[in-house]
Every structure is written in structure tokens, then in C-alpha cells.
Amino acid sequence: MTEVIDSMLDLMRRLPPTRTEENVQALVNICPDEADELLQSVDQPLQVLVDRTTGREYLACDYNRDGESYRSPWSNEYDPPLDDGAVPSSKMRKLEIQANEAFDTYREMYYEGGQSSVYLWDPEDGTGGGNFAGVVVLKKTMTPSTPNEPSGSWDSIHVFETAERGRQAHYKLTSTVMLHLITRRGSEGESKTPADKNGPENLKRDGEVSLSGSMTRQSEQDCPLNESASHISNIGKMIEEMEIKMRNLLQEVYFGKTRDIVYDLRSVDDLEKARRQRDLQKELVGFIKR
């Protein structure tokens, strides 16, 4: 069965990242026995759900999923209801509540909107103590108010493992960012042009540029530990630094490289104007030589 999973993952790497959810669902329908392992291996855009008890929004991902149900970090309940769903211990739940409040403030300061959720779980080997793991997920969607405005979404998933070592704690962080951005340059007559009924519904329009993809980075760090609540500030600093690095990398490397390639392939300036300038230069050089 490992070969089947490897083949599906290899296929996912070659398919368009903008249709990850559709492609994953198609593979799950083809190989339902491999659904759990596939869902654990492929990062998908985060889903926004509403807690029926508190009315607050939370993010659904593979880390708060149990079967077809998702656990809310606000009420600690599953939706749809699940009697035997996995929940953190009382000690871990208390830390989870504090972490959600802290990262809700972080989200508002850095993203000025969007959604955030934190999920913690006890170690599977039952060692207990100060060892635990968790995930911090953040999502921001940009919805255009007019057809020609840009749109997109930012999904970040930060999975961390914690191991206490006396007065210090060792943290291992794996961060994944999924970015989807669409820019449009429309015209007055564009909205009047009938759509191609035979083509796909999401067919690109003229003047539309779509950039999408994902990036994963890892880091490890030892931090001082004064109390259990220190885990939140230590993890928060690591995630803050990691997101800044990844944002700068996306802006300087990926966007910059895309811009350079586009400018090399297509001239931004008027070609007729450039030709006249070359002719003028040749004429001036001719006068100088005389």
C-alpha cells in the first residue's frame, strides 16, 4: 500500500495547487482505504466552520478531525457530534484555551482579520510529563468587492513538538504556508462578453494572473521554561519569526523571480517607442562620427 500512497502524492505534486481539495477528494473516492493516510500527508486549504455552542468561527484541518467530525477549540465539542472523539486532557485543555486567546490577539495584530485556531494533544506513547504536541493554524481570505480587484487567501499551518528538559524546553516547528493570489486587469467590455459555455467554469479571463503554491520550512530551538504558560510565549515567538521569514522569502524570491521572468518574456514599454529611441541613438552616433 505504500506504493499507492507514493503514487498519489507524486500525482498531487503535479496537479494544479488551486484545485487541491477537488483532487484529494477524487483520490479518496478512487482509493477509500487509503483516505486517512492521504489526508494526513497532503496539506489542504483550511476550512472555516462555526461552533454551534459559542457561535465563534474556527478552522478545520486534519489535526482536529476524527472521522467526519471536527473539534472546536472554543467548546471542545465535535461537529457533527461524536461520543468517543479524542479530546485533550484537562491540563492540556487549559493550556489550549490560553493558547487560543493568545493567538487570537496575534491574528488580529498581524492579519487584521481572518481566523485562527490552536489544537493541542497529549503524546501517543503515554509518557506524559511536559511533552506534548500541537498545531497553530491561521487563515486570511481577501474577497474582492468588484470583479477587477485582486483576490486570494493565505493559509499557514504550524505543527510543533515540545519536550521539557529541566528548566528548558526543546521545540521542533514545521511550518507550511499555502498562498493563492489572483490579480485581474479588466476592461469595460469584458463584463459584456458572453462566457464560453463549453469551457470550464473557472476558465481564466484575459488579463488575469494566478499565483499559487505552498512552502514548508522547519526549525528547532531551546527556550527557558519558567512555568507551563511559558510554552505559549516560546512557541509564539518561533511562529512569529518563521512567518516573517517565509513572508519575506515569498515576496523577495518567488514574487521577484516571477516578475523578472515575465519582464524578460514580455516588454512592458511600448515597442514602437523603443524602436524610435534606437533609431534616434543611431542617428546621433552618426552625427558624432562625422
Side-chain angles (χ1 to χ4, degrees):
M1 292 300 178
T2 305
E3 295 181 358
V4 176
I5 291 294
D6 292 341
S7 299
M8 289 193 291
L9 294 178
D10 184 61
L11 183 61
M12 287 299 304
R13 284 190 289 267
R14 301 171 188 273
L15 293 172
T18 55
R19 306 182 65 178
T20 300
E21 294 174 290
E22 299 176 32
N23 297 330
V24 168
Q25 187 58 46
L27 292 176
V28 168
N29 294 336
I30 295 173
C31 303
D33 295 338
E34 309 296 330
D36 288 339
E37 190 170 353
L38 178 65
L39 293 173
Q40 293 174 6
S41 304
V42 178
D43 291 317
Q44 300 185 66
L46 302 166
Q47 302 178 39
V48 180
L49 303 180
V50 179
D51 190 321
R52 296 184 181 182
T53 303
T54 63
R56 299 183 65 175
E57 293 181 334
Y58 66 97
L59 297 174
C61 60
D62 188 65
Y63 298 96
N64 68 323
R65 179 180 65 88
D66 195 334
E68 299 297 328
S69 301
Y70 294 92
R71 183 173 68 88
S72 167
W74 310 118
S75 63
N76 202 29
E77 297 177 355
Y78 278 91
D79 185 20
L82 196 63
D83 296 333
D84 57 347
V87 294
S89 62
S90 57
K91 177 183 177 181
M92 200 58 55
R93 174 59 183 161
K94 181 180 179 180
L95 187 63
E96 184 181 76
I97 294 174
Q98 296 174 349
N100 273 283
E101 293 174 353
F103 277 98
D104 191 52
T105 303
Y106 170 87
R107 170 198 57 78
E108 190 61 38
M109 291 177 61
Y110 274 91
Y111 291 84
E112 298 182 354
Q115 299 82 23
S116 66
S117 296
V118 182
Y119 303 102
L120 305 181
W121 56 86
D122 299 280
E124 296 181 357
D125 55 7
T127 54
N131 299 340
F132 67 94
V135 63
V136 178
V137 288
L138 299 133
K139 183 180 183 70
K140 177 67 181 291
T141 302
M142 180 172 58
T143 304
S145 56
T146 63
N148 294 330
E149 288 187 358
S151 62
S153 63
W154 169 287
D155 298 82
S156 57
I157 304 173
H158 305 278
V159 183
F160 59 87
E161 298 176 3
T162 303
E164 292 187 5
R165 299 174 179 174
R167 306 282 296 185
Q168 283 193 331
H170 180 75
Y171 301 96
K172 182 178 180 181
L173 177 67
T174 302
S175 299
T176 299
V177 168
M178 290 170 284
L179 178 65
H180 178 46
L181 182 64
I182 297 178
T183 59
R184 301 180 178 90
R185 179 179 295 178
S187 59
E188 295 181 357
E190 182 180 6
S191 59
K192 301 179 182 179
T193 304
D196 184 6
K197 297 182 179 180
N198 297 325
E201 296 180 357
N202 60 347
L203 188 66
K204 284 186 179 180
R205 300 179 302 173
D206 291 340
E208 179 178 291
V209 178
S210 176
L211 294 174
S212 59
S214 63
M215 177 196 302
T216 301
R217 293 292 184 272
Q218 288 186 334
S219 67
E220 295 188 33
Q221 190 172 335
D222 292 321
C223 300
L225 186 65
N226 299 323
E227 55 182 351
S228 60
S230 299
H231 287 302
I232 299 176
S233 59
N234 293 338
I235 295 170
K237 291 178 181 178
M238 289 186 66
I239 291 177
E240 181 182 20
E241 293 174 358
M242 180 64 76
E243 286 209 327
I244 291 174
K245 291 179 181 178
M246 297 180 79
R247 276 197 296 264
N248 292 338
L249 189 61
L250 283 169
Q251 180 178 352
E252 297 174 5
V253 179
Y254 288 83
F255 286 166
K257 191 66 175 178
T258 301
R259 182 183 58 209
D260 293 342
I261 293 174
V262 171
Y263 285 0
D264 287 342
L265 294 175
R266 180 180 180 276
S267 175
V268 180
D269 299 328
D270 186 7
L271 295 178
E272 181 62 25
K273 181 180 178 181
R275 186 186 63 80
R276 289 197 299 267
Q277 288 179 346
R278 288 196 301 269
D279 293 342
L280 179 60
Q281 289 176 353
K282 292 180 180 179
E283 186 175 351
L284 290 175
V285 170
F287 282 124
I288 293 174
K289 290 182 177 181
R290 292 178 185 176

